[in-house]
Amino acid sequence: MPTVHATIIARGGGSTFHRKNTCRVLGTPIIAYAIQTCQQAGFIDHVFVWSEDEEIRSIARSLGAHALERPHSMVHYYSGFATQEEWAAQRGRQIEVIAGGPGDVNVAFNCNNFLLRPETLAAMHCQAREDEAVGGVIAVAAVEPGLCLKTRDGSLFPFWNDLSVPRAEHPPLYRRTGVAVTFRERFRNGRMALAPFVVSREEAFDLQHAEELPLAEFYLRKRLGLLDSDRPAAGEGC
Amino acid sequence: MRVTASIIVLERDARDGVRWDARMGGMRLLEHAVARLKGLPLVDELAVLTDCDALCDALGNTLACAGVPVRRLCPTCTTERFDYLTCEESRIRQQLLALEQAGLAGDVHCFGSWRLPLLSTRSWERMYHALLEDRIAARIVPLTTEDPNLYTPLGGDVASGRLFGVWAHPGRDRQEAPQLYRPAEACVAHLGRIRYPQPLTKGVEIAMTEAVTVRTAEDMPLAHFLWARQQAGRACHDSQDGGAGVP
């Protein structure tokens, strides 16, 4: 049976806002949701959490995941002290000590996408297994048209945005999430394309800013049947 | 200087599944949007502009009693959606005609939408100040940031299994991509500068929670949840300083 490893790379300081990965939504840290989704998907043998932060590693251990110590020189994307390949090699050495070798199937799980359901992850694995022409699958979600970008003088220029065309008739646009299931052997054989696996906008939720925490709380409350339409919801946060 | 404001309600907006009279927290969505703009002290006159018969006949009187008149939009002003990024003279002329016919001509105009019931008075105020502090901007719209990791399926169908990077590139980190934004359906316009050729539109970033746009029935629970949180936050603030909160 092929072995399946899930890897969650989590920065202690938070890449977009402070302590993002240990921020609590409905009382549970975001990193915990990511770990539990991988564990509950039912096809993953080992869940590894790679972090330089002891609090994150402690949460991982408490949930039965393997906590890998991440060197401080391998935390910042553009620090210049180590390349992404060196990062992967470092993780690979640590994983080999615990699991005896790399996984045949790898699940890369970005904490930001902690609302992805375990059954969706399992379905991604099924699709990836069946489609041998690709290296794996990546979760994507449809994006509404109606965007713009800023020009040099700060004025707005429409992008994928033409009100004379009905929204439903705009060419489709998708956002890739940070969750992918890949097959190591296929990558080694040059099949590196990732097929898209469409998920709902809710499951593709990508936590980037602290102000989005109420949205995350709403989606979780809805999923758990905790929405109370009559009374104001209590605040949550870090 | 005369500052006017309007909430635009078009019959065609109901095609998405939610109408202006859908209730949230005991008030209609339209009434939420009206309350936010009414709370802006710099607005000299506010009206609801609509082509909906139901609004003109029924709620119109209610809103008029609250000091907000409902005025009918002429058919020529409703042939196109109100687009606040457009530079097409015909569309801009249409918007200005709507204001003139409604008696809302002035120097600055706030275009509001019932589909943005959570856009706060404070954000309206920020947009107004941003417009007047910029020497050349003709319009200010509220913006939220959008994840730039965007692709379109080759062949137009995601089932093809192949994606083409629209605002992304293989091997490049998404944080390298220039930021994209999503403008919300609201605008503060300088009615003098908007008549120039190629009027500039700029943006003011607002909180994601304020930019929730109610289009379909699925958006209502989220809007209600966030509205309830705003109310809870305001109740906390009011009890702390004993003052009246600003919507």
Side-chain angles (χ1 to χ4, degrees):
Chain A
M1 281 286 283
T3 54
V4 185
H5 293 172
T7 306
I8 301 170
I9 301 176
R11 186 187 298 194
S15 56
T16 50
F17 70 90
H18 186 61
R19 306 298 298 170
K20 174 174 60 172
N21 295 318
T22 51
C23 208
R24 289 172 184 269
V25 183
L26 294 185
T28 300
I30 281 162
I31 180 75
Y33 285 112
I35 294 170
Q36 288 167 346
T37 296
C38 292
Q39 291 170 331
Q40 291 165 11
F43 66 95
I44 295 173
D45 300 303
H46 297 281
V47 179
F48 298 98
V49 175
W50 198 52
S51 178
E52 85 291 3
D53 185 80
E54 177 51 35
E55 184 183 354
I56 289 177
R57 293 201 302 269
S58 171
I59 293 170
R61 285 190 292 265
S62 71
L63 293 171
H66 303 288
L68 306 178
E69 189 163 348
R70 180 181 186 182
H72 285 275
S73 61
M74 295 186 178
V75 169
H76 301 92
Y77 300 129
Y78 310 118
S79 68
F81 291 110
T83 64
Q84 295 277 321
E85 281 186 2
E86 286 168 338
W87 288 23
Q90 167 72 14
R91 280 199 309 277
R93 286 190 291 273
Q94 291 170 296
I95 288 172
E96 190 162 353
V97 168
I98 294 171
D104 299 305
V105 181
N106 291 300
V107 176
F109 200 104
N110 188 324
C111 272
N112 293 347
N113 302 127
F114 65 100
L115 290 181
L116 196 83
R117 294 171 193 257
E119 51 268 31
T120 301
L121 193 56
M124 287 173 64
H125 175 238
C126 283
Q127 178 177 312
R129 214 174 44 203
E130 286 164 17
D131 188 353
E132 295 193 10
V134 296
V137 302
I138 185 163
V140 302
V143 172
E144 288 284 317
L147 305 178
C148 63
L149 53 94
K150 286 187 183 176
T151 63
R152 275 178 305 182
D153 63 4
S155 62
L156 302 179
F157 192 92
F159 176 81
W160 227 264
N161 187 346
D162 185 348
L163 287 191
S164 66
V165 175
R167 296 173 72 89
E169 291 179 31
H170 277 69
L173 202 57
Y174 290 89
R175 172 171 58 81
R176 279 167 62 144
T177 69
V179 181
V181 179
T182 57
F183 282 73
R184 190 169 59 91
E185 197 60 30
R186 295 182 199 173
F187 265 62
R188 284 173 56 156
N189 291 338
R191 282 170 288 165
M192 298 168 71
L194 295 179
F197 184 95
V198 181
V199 303
S200 67
R201 215 164 295 153
E202 175 187 320
E203 286 196 71
F205 177 80
D206 193 315
L207 181 64
Q208 288 289 304
H209 307 288
E211 66 181 31
E212 294 167 342
L213 286 167
L215 295 170
E217 183 186 336
F218 168 78
Y219 290 132
L220 276 172
R221 282 184 179 272
K222 183 177 148 195
R223 189 179 294 181
L224 298 171
L226 296 177
L227 281 181
D228 185 337
S229 58
D230 297 324
R231 287 180 300 163
E236 279 273 353
C238 300
Chain B
M1 186 176 77
R2 181 170 145 86
V3 180
T4 57
S6 62
I7 305 286
I8 312 293
V9 183
L10 299 179
E11 192 75 62
R12 69 158 70 92
D13 292 341
R15 288 186 214 153
D16 291 331
V18 177
R19 278 166 47 106
W20 50 268
D21 57 356
R23 289 194 177 263
M24 182 176 78
M27 280 167 56
R28 297 176 182 88
L29 292 175
L30 174 58
E31 288 169 317
H32 282 281
V34 164
R36 306 282 184 170
L37 269 176
K38 219 175 159 200
L40 198 55
L42 43 89
V43 169
D44 298 306
E45 187 174 352
L46 167 64
V48 171
L49 304 184
T50 183
D51 61 351
C52 296
D53 293 331
L55 184 51
C56 290
D57 297 340
L59 183 59
N61 289 331
T62 310
L63 286 180
C65 290
V68 180
V70 176
R71 295 182 186 147
R72 186 177 286 276
L73 280 168
C74 68
T76 51
C77 298
T78 61
T79 55
E80 307 282 352
R81 299 190 79 94
F82 277 60
D83 180 355
Y84 306 125
L85 296 184
T86 188
C87 287
E88 291 178 83
E89 289 184 27
S90 58
R91 288 175 181 255
I92 293 173
R93 253 201 315 275
Q94 201 174 57
Q95 293 169 18
L96 293 174
L97 177 65
L99 298 186
E100 282 162 19
Q101 291 187 341
L104 291 175
D107 301 294
V108 173
H109 187 80
C110 304
F111 290 94
S113 171
W114 61 269
R115 299 210 276 208
L116 281 175
L118 303 177
L119 185 62
S120 68
T121 305
R122 175 67 189 130
S123 290
W124 278 112
E125 199 178 342
R126 286 177 57 221
M127 290 195 287
Y128 167 82
H129 288 297
L131 180 73
L132 296 186
E133 284 167 5
D134 189 304
R135 278 179 285 180
I136 54 174
R139 290 172 293 205
I140 299 288
V141 297
L143 298 178
T144 50
T145 54
E146 186 80 16
D147 188 339
N149 208 13
L150 300 179
Y151 294 76
T152 194
L154 283 169
D157 183 1
V158 73
S160 71
R162 296 165 67 202
L163 296 176
F164 181 85
V166 170
W167 207 252
H169 199 273
R172 304 298 290 265
D173 193 278
R174 69 173 173 177
Q175 292 181 23
E176 288 185 68
Q179 183 66 61
L180 285 175
Y181 299 89
R182 182 175 297 279
E185 266 180 41
C187 172
V188 179
H190 190 297
L191 298 185
R193 296 179 198 154
I194 203 173
R195 296 167 205 267
Y196 298 165
Q198 300 286 305
L200 293 184
T201 304
K202 295 191 178 181
V204 161
E205 284 187 48
I206 61 170
M208 204 79 67
T209 48
E210 286 192 34
V212 168
T213 301
V214 180
R215 279 188 217 286
T216 67
E218 286 177 2
D219 300 320
M220 285 297 295
L222 174 60
H224 185 278
F225 176 82
L226 294 174
W227 171 81
R229 285 199 64 161
Q230 279 184 358
Q231 298 303 301
R234 192 172 312 137
C236 223
H237 176 75
D238 285 351
S239 68
Q240 281 172 5
D241 67 10
V246 175

